[in-house]
Amino acid sequence: MTNLNRVCIMGRLTKDMLLERLQNGTAKGSFTIASNSGEKRNGQWEEYASYFDVILWGKPAESLERYLKKGTLVAIDGRLRQDRWEKDGKKNSKVCIIADNISL
């Protein structure tokens, strides 16, 4: 049985999308978004930004490259993926968003 793994988030790109080609020819676009939020602390609203890494695969990455520039507001529907690796004997992990749909 597959578990539910969906995320819907809106934010602005922190820099232009980086488009690269894998050895098999598949396009991979990667970028980071900043999503603003706020919470009440000590009776005052405080705003903060959270940063999320996003990966976009294939034709969508190719066709959206010219639009996914720093500061662009995007809404992303996708799923979370955790990558794990070991470097210099230290275990590392990172959670990123795999985009299925992007709205500008």
Side-chain angles (χ1 to χ4, degrees):
M1 180 175 153
T2 302
N3 294 320
L4 179 63
N5 180 359
R6 298 302 303 166
V7 62
C8 183
I9 191 165
M10 184 180 286
R12 293 190 182 275
L13 273 73
T14 61
K15 58 184 175 185
D16 295 356
M17 180 180 79
L18 173 64
L19 184 66
E20 58 184 312
R21 293 248 178 231
L22 303 182
Q23 287 181 347
N24 65 5
T26 302
K28 177 186 178 186
S30 56
F31 57 94
T32 300
I33 62 166
S35 182
N36 295 329
S37 191
E39 60 186 37
K40 202 169 192 177
R41 290 187 182 176
N42 300 325
Q44 299 276 351
W45 278 99
E46 293 183 23
E47 288 192 20
Y48 61 90
S50 296
Y51 298 88
F52 301 95
D53 293 326
V54 181
I55 297 175
L56 180 61
W57 292 100
K59 294 281 185 196
E62 295 172 338
S63 62
L64 291 174
E65 179 186 17
R66 64 180 152 170
Y67 302 108
L68 295 178
K69 303 294 182 187
K70 181 179 180 177
T72 303
L73 180 65
V74 294
I76 298 170
D77 173 49
R79 61 192 186 282
L80 298 177
R81 183 182 78 194
Q82 181 183 35
D83 293 327
R84 296 178 184 185
W85 69 97
E86 190 170 324
K87 183 177 179 182
D88 301 326
K90 182 180 177 189
K91 292 182 179 182
N92 299 284
S93 70
K94 176 180 177 179
V95 176
C96 63
I97 299 171
I98 306 299
D100 293 324
N101 295 300
I102 294 182
S103 298
L104 302 172

